[in-house]
């Protein structure tokens, strides 16, 4: 097989609200950390243990606008993207590195009620109960001719 693959799939919870930046050319950039956890049973003690890893997520342009609008701390998200490592020099001239997941795809997995405080939710309860649907009159029968080719 020729070539290589750089693919990351994560399902986790936002560690904080998305941090939004707009670059000079108007491009939107959103960053946030997500936590993924795994649990296991310690074989020596029989005790349940949990390990949490933190991942820095970067989202650009249109997907960044969606993240800015709808994501909040604690929400569960599915992230698909690729690993990118950046380097820069700090004030002391020391080279620093950061590895991030640049998202190509994001799906919000928390329900709308989990992500919005109750005071911000629109009230869809009008008190009116809709009528039951009425049966169609003049229904189709198998003898009806139509112009369908199949």
């Amino acid at each position: 097989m020729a070539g290589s693959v750089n693919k990351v799939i994560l399902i986790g919870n936002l560690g904080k609200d998305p941090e939004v930046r707009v670059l000079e050319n108007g491009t939107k950039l959103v960053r946030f950390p997500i936590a993924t956890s795994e649990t296991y049973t310690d074989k020596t003690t029989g005790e349940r243990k949990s390990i949490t890893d933190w991942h820095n997520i970067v989202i650009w342009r249109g997907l960044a606008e969606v993240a800015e609008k709808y994501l909040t701390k604690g929400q569960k998200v599915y992230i698909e993207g690729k690993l990118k490592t950046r380097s820069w020099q700090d004030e002391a001239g020391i080279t620093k590195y950061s590895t991030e997941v640049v998202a190509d795809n994001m799906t919000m997995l928390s329900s709308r009620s989990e992500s919005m405080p109750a005071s911000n939710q629109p009230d869809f309860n009008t008190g009116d109960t809709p009528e039951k649907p009425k049966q169609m009159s003049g229904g189709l029968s198998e003898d009806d001719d139509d112009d369908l080719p199949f």
Side-chain angles (χ1 to χ4, degrees):
M1 177 177 159
S4 59
V5 175
N6 182 355
K7 180 84 165 178
V8 176
I9 297 175
L10 298 169
I11 295 177
N13 295 79
L14 269 74
K16 64 180 186 179
D17 288 342
E19 193 177 287
V20 182
R21 285 181 50 198
V22 179
L23 304 181
E24 292 174 4
N25 64 3
T27 302
K28 197 165 274 195
L29 163 71
V30 170
R31 295 177 188 271
F32 54 87
I34 68 169
T36 57
S37 297
E38 61 180 291
T39 57
Y40 66 96
T41 304
D42 187 323
K43 291 184 180 183
T44 57
T45 64
E47 183 182 346
R48 290 283 293 162
K49 295 197 175 196
S50 180
I51 298 173
T52 299
D53 288 306
W54 289 92
H55 313 276
N56 294 317
I57 310 299
V58 177
I59 303 178
W60 291 90
R61 297 175 187 80
L63 197 54
E65 292 180 18
V66 172
E68 174 189 22
K69 199 173 193 178
Y70 296 106
L71 292 183
T72 56
K73 178 181 177 177
Q75 271 190 297
K76 187 174 288 291
V77 290
Y78 168 91
I79 299 288
E80 215 175 285
K82 57 186 165 256
L83 286 178
K84 291 282 189 180
T85 300
R86 305 182 289 118
S87 66
W88 71 95
Q89 291 197 348
D90 67 5
E91 300 83 27
I94 299 171
T95 303
K96 302 279 186 170
Y97 296 92
S98 175
T99 301
E100 303 164 322
V101 175
V102 178
D104 299 327
N105 187 5
M106 175 191 71
T107 303
M108 296 172 280
L109 300 176
S110 296
S111 69
R112 187 94 170 132
S113 62
E114 291 175 43
S115 63
M116 287 181 73
S119 61
N120 290 347
Q121 289 184 359
D123 184 14
F124 294 112
N125 185 5
T126 61
D128 295 335
T129 305
E131 290 182 31
K132 278 188 168 179
K134 295 180 178 138
Q135 189 170 354
M136 277 179 49
S137 59
L140 299 176
S141 70
E142 292 184 24
D143 297 336
D144 288 342
D145 288 333
D146 59 26
D147 295 331
L148 296 177
F150 50 90

